[in-house]
Amino acid sequence: MQSYFFHLMPWSDYPDDFDEKYESSWVTFPNSFYDPVKGAELYNRYLDELEYADTLGYDGICVNEHHQNAYGLMPSPNIIAGMLARRTKNAKIAILGNGLPLRSNPLRIAEEMAMLDVVTRGRVISGFVRGIGCEYFSLDLDPTFSRDIFLEAHDLIVRAWTEPGPFEHLGKHFQYRYVNVWPRPFTKPHPPIWMPSAGSSETIEFAAEHKYPYVSVFTPIANVKRLLSSYRTIAREKFGYEPGPAQLGYAPGMYVSDDDQRAQDEAAEHGRFFLSKAFKIPPHFLIPPGYVTENSLRGFLAGRFSEGAQFPEAIAGSPKTVLERLIADYDFLDGFGYIVVGACPGNSTHEQTTKHMTLFQTEVMPALKKYHEQKTAGRAAAS
Amino acid sequence: MTTPQERTIMAGDYQVRVFEAGAGEPLLFLHSAGGPGLWTEGIDRLAQHFHVFLPDHPGFGPSPLPDWLTGMDDMVFHYVEVLEALGLQGAVRVAGTSFGGWIAAELAVFHPERVKKLVLIDAAGLRIPEVPMPDIFRLPPQDILPLVFHDLSKAVAVMPKDFGIDTMVQMFHDRSALARLSWNPYLHDPKLRRRLHHAAHIPTLIVWGQQDRLIPPVYAAEYQRLLPLSRISYIDQCGHDPTIEQPEAFAQAVVEFLR
């Protein structure tokens, strides 16, 4: 069981009339609300928190990519990863992920990830994503080829990492006369690829086919169960293997503090902020035309009509309470091999965040790890 | 109103649904982004004078969004094949509304020999930097309607019967096809302006709703400036689609021109 500490690097200050006046913190929320002096403070604080996660013994620290928004200020996750590369010692640096269709030249991603992998002597995880729908407004990219470009860029990057160059690539979206990436990655055959996802069935199948670790984010636990089972079933029935725990991740909304009352009060405050500000995204921003398959849209609409737009409830409490909940979730999900722990939303303090991440790693994680080891040993013995 | 005949043709290897009605000289009518299979009253009035063909654009209505469709050049080649499949030789009357008007203009530019007379109705295709068009991709349907209709009560006739999952998926499907060709650059082709003179000799009527808030009437004047032999017929009390909102005034102007 591995633990990963994930930072969104959120913006903290919204105008008082945000709720009435602005449709979203994405795409159109004016960047005049960004204050670079405050921004410098936040970037450095957030980097401190990620570095601190390394000293606490998290197995990995995670960054991601979003554009033109107040939700998360890492338009270039590889730059943040570069800053962390020489300031951290042991943790894997997981970029979750690079938005493949968001870069016009996928070889730039192959190069940058290889650089990070070599400098860190193999401490990077290369997540690949498509970017959320808003990205296609913010960068003005045709959403209808998003999946197609993702798949071609993925294949090209893996080839560029693993096959001797120079070679030619004649694809539908990309053509190269000379694919010949320097440096080559440190990790053989290439840095691990992860697939964070919002739950589309096509992504699960792709991840299962390639044995890529899969984790769904912002997903109610009932859906997480459905998605992880679907991964296991597809791996078994379509690709003929049994996925190991390392392939299946869990990313619950979670907040740990000294005692239940305090944790729940603070988590409620964080949750309100997150949902009403950072995550205020109207459906037309989230799902631009052609961004999902009609099959996925059908599933999404059916889910929305039946449950309403549900957001998963956060697990908040003392280390003891959180551990109990996670063990229950572990059993409900038939196990998972890694857990992604989020940093707190933009209205949290540095003290709250460091307390949360410390309590999790020092008081929750050891017991969860032990539980996982007992379970997997038991399973191995039974089979 | 007439009930048009529906049939399927093959344009190259691609299947196209076509609605048709009327007799006499053929008229290829290219629908707006919201109108695959929508036989409007204005179109119906044209069919009292011409043999009107109303095909679905690729990716609209029941047709899948094809991989080969990545730009207006593909669309133009497709329509050359549609004309062939319909057995329409030589120069043909071509009219188009909004997105369909843009296709009509591109067809006239690339293949002026295939266009006998051209009708551009509240056509997309151009961009005047000082006069932005609202971004319909970031608006929910209820906010798009007031941009399209001057008199919202006229929208009722063309509204879907319900907003269930099937309707929403179909709308998403049509909007995806529109996005493929008009997400970026938004609803226009930067090259069209420089190319339009290739169609300047084709008799052209520009028809525009005076109260079009999606593509304002100043765009009619811009098309007219680039096609100096054309003339404009503005239609009052009318939004973005005169074939729905002012079918009588629309048909009067167009029939007279196309005769």
Side-chain angles (χ1 to χ4, degrees), chain A residues 75-112:
Chain A
S76 172
N78 301 349
I79 286 183
I80 298 289
M83 295 176 195
L84 295 168
R86 282 178 47 88
R87 299 272 300 171
T88 57
K89 294 288 169 261
N90 300 308
K92 294 262 187 191
I93 301 170
I95 293 105
L96 301 182
N98 270 288
L100 299 188
L102 310 182
R103 292 282 287 265
S104 56
N105 195 331
L107 289 189
R108 298 288 302 271
I109 296 172
E111 289 173 342
E112 289 170 12

mmCIF file of all heavy atoms in Angstrom, chain A residues 75-112:
data_model
loop_
_atom_site.group_PDB
_atom_site.id
_atom_site.type_symbol
_atom_site.label_atom_id
_atom_site.label_comp_id
_atom_site.label_asym_id
_atom_site.label_seq_id
_atom_site.Cartn_x
_atom_site.Cartn_y
_atom_site.Cartn_z
ATOM 1 N N PRO A 75 -0.440 25.385 -14.841
ATOM 2 C CA PRO A 75 -0.585 25.182 -16.285
ATOM 3 C C PRO A 75 0.530 24.303 -16.842
ATOM 4 O O PRO A 75 0.320 23.590 -17.819
ATOM 5 C CB PRO A 75 -0.542 26.595 -16.865
ATOM 6 C CG PRO A 75 -0.250 27.518 -15.745
ATOM 7 C CD PRO A 75 -0.404 26.798 -14.460
ATOM 8 N N SER A 76 1.696 24.353 -16.209
ATOM 9 C CA SER A 76 2.750 23.432 -16.620
ATOM 10 C C SER A 76 3.175 22.557 -15.446
ATOM 11 O O SER A 76 3.966 22.977 -14.606
ATOM 12 C CB SER A 76 3.963 24.189 -17.146
ATOM 13 O OG SER A 76 5.009 23.262 -17.346
ATOM 14 N N PRO A 77 2.660 21.347 -15.346
ATOM 15 C CA PRO A 77 3.035 20.480 -14.221
ATOM 16 C C PRO A 77 4.500 20.085 -14.291
ATOM 17 O O PRO A 77 5.132 19.810 -13.266
ATOM 18 C CB PRO A 77 2.133 19.267 -14.399
ATOM 19 C CG PRO A 77 1.792 19.224 -15.845
ATOM 20 C CD PRO A 77 1.771 20.662 -16.295
ATOM 21 N N ASN A 78 5.047 20.057 -15.496
ATOM 22 C CA ASN A 78 6.441 19.631 -15.627
ATOM 23 C C ASN A 78 7.395 20.666 -15.030
ATOM 24 O O ASN A 78 8.480 20.316 -14.551
ATOM 25 C CB ASN A 78 6.779 19.365 -17.095
ATOM 26 C CG ASN A 78 5.876 18.281 -17.685
ATOM 27 O OD1 ASN A 78 5.160 17.601 -16.954
ATOM 28 N ND2 ASN A 78 5.910 18.124 -18.996
ATOM 29 N N ILE A 79 6.996 21.925 -15.049
ATOM 30 C CA ILE A 79 7.828 22.958 -14.407
ATOM 31 C C ILE A 79 7.818 22.754 -12.897
ATOM 32 O O ILE A 79 8.860 22.786 -12.238
ATOM 33 C CB ILE A 79 7.328 24.371 -14.789
ATOM 34 C CG1 ILE A 79 7.717 24.667 -16.250
ATOM 35 C CG2 ILE A 79 7.916 25.431 -13.854
ATOM 36 C CD1 ILE A 79 7.338 26.051 -16.722
ATOM 37 N N ILE A 80 6.623 22.499 -12.337
ATOM 38 C CA ILE A 80 6.542 22.256 -10.893
ATOM 39 C C ILE A 80 7.354 21.000 -10.549
ATOM 40 O O ILE A 80 8.124 20.984 -9.578
ATOM 41 C CB ILE A 80 5.068 22.083 -10.452
ATOM 42 C CG1 ILE A 80 4.260 23.361 -10.734
ATOM 43 C CG2 ILE A 80 4.983 21.686 -8.987
ATOM 44 C CD1 ILE A 80 4.579 24.551 -9.850
ATOM 45 N N ALA A 81 7.211 19.959 -11.368
ATOM 46 C CA ALA A 81 7.967 18.722 -11.117
ATOM 47 C C ALA A 81 9.477 19.015 -11.171
ATOM 48 O O ALA A 81 10.251 18.461 -10.388
ATOM 49 C CB ALA A 81 7.583 17.657 -12.137
ATOM 50 N N GLY A 82 9.862 19.884 -12.089
ATOM 51 C CA GLY A 82 11.275 20.260 -12.189
ATOM 52 C C GLY A 82 11.769 20.942 -10.924
ATOM 53 O O GLY A 82 12.904 20.714 -10.472
ATOM 54 N N MET A 83 10.912 21.773 -10.328
ATOM 55 C CA MET A 83 11.297 22.445 -9.081
ATOM 56 C C MET A 83 11.456 21.430 -7.959
ATOM 57 O O MET A 83 12.298 21.584 -7.081
ATOM 58 C CB MET A 83 10.221 23.463 -8.686
ATOM 59 C CG MET A 83 10.073 24.602 -9.662
ATOM 60 S SD MET A 83 8.696 25.665 -9.129
ATOM 61 C CE MET A 83 8.445 26.615 -10.612
ATOM 62 N N LEU A 84 10.608 20.405 -7.986
ATOM 63 C CA LEU A 84 10.639 19.410 -6.904
ATOM 64 C C LEU A 84 11.761 18.393 -7.100
ATOM 65 O O LEU A 84 12.194 17.755 -6.131
ATOM 66 C CB LEU A 84 9.301 18.660 -6.861
ATOM 67 C CG LEU A 84 8.077 19.494 -6.486
ATOM 68 C CD1 LEU A 84 6.791 18.707 -6.771
ATOM 69 C CD2 LEU A 84 8.139 19.908 -5.011
ATOM 70 N N ALA A 85 12.219 18.263 -8.328
ATOM 71 C CA ALA A 85 13.121 17.152 -8.650
ATOM 72 C C ALA A 85 14.361 17.127 -7.756
ATOM 73 O O ALA A 85 14.749 16.060 -7.277
ATOM 74 C CB ALA A 85 13.532 17.225 -10.123
ATOM 75 N N ARG A 86 14.974 18.269 -7.534
ATOM 76 C CA ARG A 86 16.218 18.269 -6.767
ATOM 77 C C ARG A 86 16.012 18.692 -5.309
ATOM 78 O O ARG A 86 16.950 18.731 -4.522
ATOM 79 C CB ARG A 86 17.251 19.158 -7.456
ATOM 80 C CG ARG A 86 17.890 18.429 -8.656
ATOM 81 C CD ARG A 86 18.867 19.303 -9.380
ATOM 82 N NE ARG A 86 19.786 20.000 -8.494
ATOM 83 C CZ ARG A 86 20.950 19.506 -8.061
ATOM 84 N NH1 ARG A 86 21.356 18.324 -8.450
ATOM 85 N NH2 ARG A 86 21.718 20.224 -7.266
ATOM 86 N N ARG A 87 14.773 19.025 -4.938
ATOM 87 C CA ARG A 87 14.502 19.406 -3.540
ATOM 88 C C ARG A 87 13.909 18.223 -2.771
ATOM 89 O O ARG A 87 13.727 18.316 -1.563
ATOM 90 C CB ARG A 87 13.518 20.575 -3.506
ATOM 91 C CG ARG A 87 14.028 21.829 -4.198
ATOM 92 C CD ARG A 87 14.810 22.718 -3.274
ATOM 93 N NE ARG A 87 13.998 23.146 -2.155
ATOM 94 C CZ ARG A 87 14.482 23.788 -1.094
ATOM 95 N NH1 ARG A 87 15.772 24.055 -1.030
ATOM 96 N NH2 ARG A 87 13.682 24.149 -0.115
ATOM 97 N N THR A 88 13.568 17.166 -3.464
ATOM 98 C CA THR A 88 13.026 15.990 -2.784
ATOM 99 C C THR A 88 14.007 14.842 -2.969
ATOM 100 O O THR A 88 14.834 14.860 -3.893
ATOM 101 C CB THR A 88 11.656 15.594 -3.377
ATOM 102 O OG1 THR A 88 11.804 15.365 -4.781
ATOM 103 C CG2 THR A 88 10.619 16.684 -3.168
ATOM 104 N N LYS A 89 13.902 13.853 -2.095
ATOM 105 C CA LYS A 89 14.909 12.789 -2.119
ATOM 106 C C LYS A 89 14.334 11.413 -2.460
ATOM 107 O O LYS A 89 14.951 10.639 -3.189
ATOM 108 C CB LYS A 89 15.621 12.721 -0.754
ATOM 109 C CG LYS A 89 16.447 13.956 -0.445
ATOM 110 C CD LYS A 89 17.712 14.020 -1.320
ATOM 111 C CE LYS A 89 18.402 15.370 -1.226
ATOM 112 N NZ LYS A 89 18.092 16.274 -2.330
ATOM 113 N N ASN A 90 13.197 11.105 -1.871
ATOM 114 C CA ASN A 90 12.723 9.720 -1.982
ATOM 115 C C ASN A 90 11.396 9.556 -2.713
ATOM 116 O O ASN A 90 11.178 8.560 -3.389
ATOM 117 C CB ASN A 90 12.573 9.106 -0.576
ATOM 118 C CG ASN A 90 13.899 9.108 0.156
ATOM 119 O OD1 ASN A 90 14.914 8.629 -0.371
ATOM 120 N ND2 ASN A 90 13.929 9.684 1.354
ATOM 121 N N ALA A 91 10.516 10.534 -2.521
ATOM 122 C CA ALA A 91 9.158 10.377 -3.077
ATOM 123 C C ALA A 91 9.220 10.352 -4.596
ATOM 124 O O ALA A 91 10.013 11.058 -5.221
ATOM 125 C CB ALA A 91 8.274 11.515 -2.602
ATOM 126 N N LYS A 92 8.346 9.533 -5.160
ATOM 127 C CA LYS A 92 8.128 9.603 -6.611
ATOM 128 C C LYS A 92 7.445 10.933 -6.916
ATOM 129 O O LYS A 92 6.612 11.399 -6.130
ATOM 130 C CB LYS A 92 7.188 8.476 -7.055
ATOM 131 C CG LYS A 92 7.775 7.100 -6.872
ATOM 132 C CD LYS A 92 8.359 6.606 -8.175
ATOM 133 C CE LYS A 92 8.793 5.155 -8.059
ATOM 134 N NZ LYS A 92 9.591 4.737 -9.215
ATOM 135 N N ILE A 93 7.762 11.499 -8.040
ATOM 136 C CA ILE A 93 7.067 12.709 -8.465
ATOM 137 C C ILE A 93 6.098 12.289 -9.566
ATOM 138 O O ILE A 93 6.519 11.888 -10.653
ATOM 139 C CB ILE A 93 8.060 13.767 -8.970
ATOM 140 C CG1 ILE A 93 9.049 14.114 -7.844
ATOM 141 C CG2 ILE A 93 7.310 15.006 -9.444
ATOM 142 C CD1 ILE A 93 10.220 14.961 -8.301
ATOM 143 N N ALA A 94 4.809 12.350 -9.201
ATOM 144 C CA ALA A 94 3.794 11.862 -10.141
ATOM 145 C C ALA A 94 3.122 13.054 -10.813
ATOM 146 O O ALA A 94 2.519 13.894 -10.145
ATOM 147 C CB ALA A 94 2.766 11.009 -9.394
ATOM 148 N N ILE A 95 3.254 13.109 -12.109
ATOM 149 C CA ILE A 95 2.580 14.170 -12.874
ATOM 150 C C ILE A 95 1.272 13.571 -13.368
ATOM 151 O O ILE A 95 1.251 12.740 -14.264
ATOM 152 C CB ILE A 95 3.463 14.658 -14.038
ATOM 153 C CG1 ILE A 95 4.695 15.377 -13.490
ATOM 154 C CG2 ILE A 95 2.695 15.630 -14.929
ATOM 155 C CD1 ILE A 95 5.949 14.610 -13.577
ATOM 156 N N LEU A 96 0.155 14.002 -12.760
ATOM 157 C CA LEU A 96 -1.141 13.338 -13.008
ATOM 158 C C LEU A 96 -2.141 14.300 -13.635
ATOM 159 O O LEU A 96 -3.080 14.738 -12.998
ATOM 160 C CB LEU A 96 -1.700 12.788 -11.692
ATOM 161 C CG LEU A 96 -0.830 11.772 -10.962
ATOM 162 C CD1 LEU A 96 -1.522 11.269 -9.715
ATOM 163 C CD2 LEU A 96 -0.480 10.601 -11.861
ATOM 164 N N GLY A 97 -2.059 14.562 -14.813
ATOM 165 C CA GLY A 97 -0.986 14.138 -15.676
ATOM 166 C C GLY A 97 -0.732 15.252 -16.668
ATOM 167 O O GLY A 97 -1.320 16.322 -16.611
ATOM 168 N N ASN A 98 0.088 14.919 -17.620
ATOM 169 C CA ASN A 98 0.210 15.821 -18.760
ATOM 170 C C ASN A 98 -1.012 15.637 -19.665
ATOM 171 O O ASN A 98 -1.361 14.511 -20.021
ATOM 172 C CB ASN A 98 1.478 15.491 -19.552
ATOM 173 C CG ASN A 98 2.683 16.273 -19.059
ATOM 174 O OD1 ASN A 98 2.779 17.487 -19.283
ATOM 175 N ND2 ASN A 98 3.587 15.593 -18.379
ATOM 176 N N GLY A 99 -1.622 16.732 -20.042
ATOM 177 C CA GLY A 99 -2.787 16.671 -20.941
ATOM 178 C C GLY A 99 -2.293 16.516 -22.371
ATOM 179 O O GLY A 99 -1.887 17.483 -23.001
ATOM 180 N N LEU A 100 -2.309 15.268 -22.853
ATOM 181 C CA LEU A 100 -1.683 15.016 -24.165
ATOM 182 C C LEU A 100 -2.289 15.854 -25.300
ATOM 183 O O LEU A 100 -1.547 16.420 -26.096
ATOM 184 C CB LEU A 100 -1.725 13.526 -24.512
ATOM 185 C CG LEU A 100 -0.991 12.585 -23.544
ATOM 186 C CD1 LEU A 100 -0.963 11.177 -24.118
ATOM 187 C CD2 LEU A 100 0.429 13.071 -23.265
ATOM 188 N N PRO A 101 -3.621 15.964 -25.397
ATOM 189 C CA PRO A 101 -4.150 16.752 -26.519
ATOM 190 C C PRO A 101 -3.928 18.258 -26.338
ATOM 191 O O PRO A 101 -4.200 19.027 -27.247
ATOM 192 C CB PRO A 101 -5.650 16.445 -26.500
ATOM 193 C CG PRO A 101 -5.799 15.244 -25.617
ATOM 194 C CD PRO A 101 -4.694 15.320 -24.628
ATOM 195 N N LEU A 102 -3.456 18.652 -25.152
ATOM 196 C CA LEU A 102 -3.315 20.086 -24.894
ATOM 197 C C LEU A 102 -1.977 20.627 -25.377
ATOM 198 O O LEU A 102 -1.730 21.826 -25.330
ATOM 199 C CB LEU A 102 -3.476 20.373 -23.395
ATOM 200 C CG LEU A 102 -4.710 19.770 -22.722
ATOM 201 C CD1 LEU A 102 -4.762 20.170 -21.257
ATOM 202 C CD2 LEU A 102 -5.983 20.207 -23.422
ATOM 203 N N ARG A 103 -1.075 19.709 -25.765
ATOM 204 C CA ARG A 103 0.231 20.144 -26.269
ATOM 205 C C ARG A 103 0.258 19.833 -27.755
ATOM 206 O O ARG A 103 -0.027 18.719 -28.174
ATOM 207 C CB ARG A 103 1.357 19.374 -25.565
ATOM 208 C CG ARG A 103 1.523 19.704 -24.094
ATOM 209 C CD ARG A 103 2.227 20.996 -23.841
ATOM 210 N NE ARG A 103 3.645 20.953 -24.108
ATOM 211 C CZ ARG A 103 4.585 20.705 -23.175
ATOM 212 N NH1 ARG A 103 4.251 20.497 -21.919
ATOM 213 N NH2 ARG A 103 5.855 20.693 -23.511
ATOM 214 N N SER A 104 0.621 20.839 -28.544
ATOM 215 C CA SER A 104 0.569 20.617 -29.990
ATOM 216 C C SER A 104 1.674 19.679 -30.450
ATOM 217 O O SER A 104 1.586 19.093 -31.514
ATOM 218 C CB SER A 104 0.649 21.944 -30.725
ATOM 219 O OG SER A 104 1.819 22.622 -30.336
ATOM 220 N N ASN A 105 2.714 19.528 -29.628
ATOM 221 C CA ASN A 105 3.830 18.671 -30.027
ATOM 222 C C ASN A 105 4.141 17.642 -28.948
ATOM 223 O O ASN A 105 4.820 17.941 -27.961
ATOM 224 C CB ASN A 105 5.055 19.545 -30.305
ATOM 225 C CG ASN A 105 6.112 18.786 -31.060
ATOM 226 O OD1 ASN A 105 6.225 17.578 -30.933
ATOM 227 N ND2 ASN A 105 6.903 19.508 -31.842
ATOM 228 N N PRO A 106 3.639 16.408 -29.101
ATOM 229 C CA PRO A 106 3.804 15.412 -28.032
ATOM 230 C C PRO A 106 5.262 15.061 -27.744
ATOM 231 O O PRO A 106 5.576 14.585 -26.648
ATOM 232 C CB PRO A 106 3.044 14.188 -28.542
ATOM 233 C CG PRO A 106 2.691 14.455 -29.949
ATOM 234 C CD PRO A 106 2.855 15.905 -30.229
ATOM 235 N N LEU A 107 6.141 15.289 -28.707
ATOM 236 C CA LEU A 107 7.555 14.980 -28.427
ATOM 237 C C LEU A 107 8.103 15.873 -27.315
ATOM 238 O O LEU A 107 9.042 15.493 -26.615
ATOM 239 C CB LEU A 107 8.409 15.136 -29.694
ATOM 240 C CG LEU A 107 8.195 14.069 -30.768
ATOM 241 C CD1 LEU A 107 9.231 14.202 -31.871
ATOM 242 C CD2 LEU A 107 8.227 12.657 -30.187
ATOM 243 N N ARG A 108 7.502 17.051 -27.130
ATOM 244 C CA ARG A 108 7.934 17.923 -26.029
ATOM 245 C C ARG A 108 7.639 17.237 -24.691
ATOM 246 O O ARG A 108 8.398 17.391 -23.720
ATOM 247 C CB ARG A 108 7.203 19.268 -26.075
ATOM 248 C CG ARG A 108 7.466 20.098 -27.331
ATOM 249 C CD ARG A 108 8.871 20.675 -27.337
ATOM 250 N NE ARG A 108 9.130 21.511 -26.186
ATOM 251 C CZ ARG A 108 8.892 22.823 -26.118
ATOM 252 N NH1 ARG A 108 8.390 23.444 -27.155
ATOM 253 N NH2 ARG A 108 9.166 23.515 -25.026
ATOM 254 N N ILE A 109 6.541 16.507 -24.621
ATOM 255 C CA ILE A 109 6.211 15.798 -23.378
ATOM 256 C C ILE A 109 7.184 14.636 -23.183
ATOM 257 O O ILE A 109 7.692 14.413 -22.082
ATOM 258 C CB ILE A 109 4.753 15.301 -23.400
ATOM 259 C CG1 ILE A 109 3.809 16.509 -23.458
ATOM 260 C CG2 ILE A 109 4.443 14.428 -22.188
ATOM 261 C CD1 ILE A 109 2.349 16.167 -23.676
ATOM 262 N N ALA A 110 7.457 13.898 -24.275
ATOM 263 C CA ALA A 110 8.423 12.791 -24.184
ATOM 264 C C ALA A 110 9.774 13.321 -23.691
ATOM 265 O O ALA A 110 10.409 12.721 -22.818
ATOM 266 C CB ALA A 110 8.570 12.113 -25.550
ATOM 267 N N GLU A 111 10.201 14.447 -24.213
ATOM 268 C CA GLU A 111 11.499 15.028 -23.815
ATOM 269 C C GLU A 111 11.494 15.459 -22.352
ATOM 270 O O GLU A 111 12.414 15.134 -21.595
ATOM 271 C CB GLU A 111 11.796 16.268 -24.669
ATOM 272 C CG GLU A 111 12.136 15.976 -26.114
ATOM 273 C CD GLU A 111 12.257 17.269 -26.935
ATOM 274 O OE1 GLU A 111 11.757 18.332 -26.493
ATOM 275 O OE2 GLU A 111 12.849 17.213 -28.017
ATOM 276 N N GLU A 112 10.446 16.190 -21.968
ATOM 277 C CA GLU A 112 10.438 16.754 -20.613
ATOM 278 C C GLU A 112 10.343 15.661 -19.550
ATOM 279 O O GLU A 112 11.016 15.724 -18.522
ATOM 280 C CB GLU A 112 9.282 17.753 -20.474
ATOM 281 C CG GLU A 112 9.541 19.027 -21.271
ATOM 282 C CD GLU A 112 8.335 19.955 -21.377
ATOM 283 O OE1 GLU A 112 7.349 19.741 -20.639
ATOM 284 O OE2 GLU A 112 8.383 20.868 -22.201
#
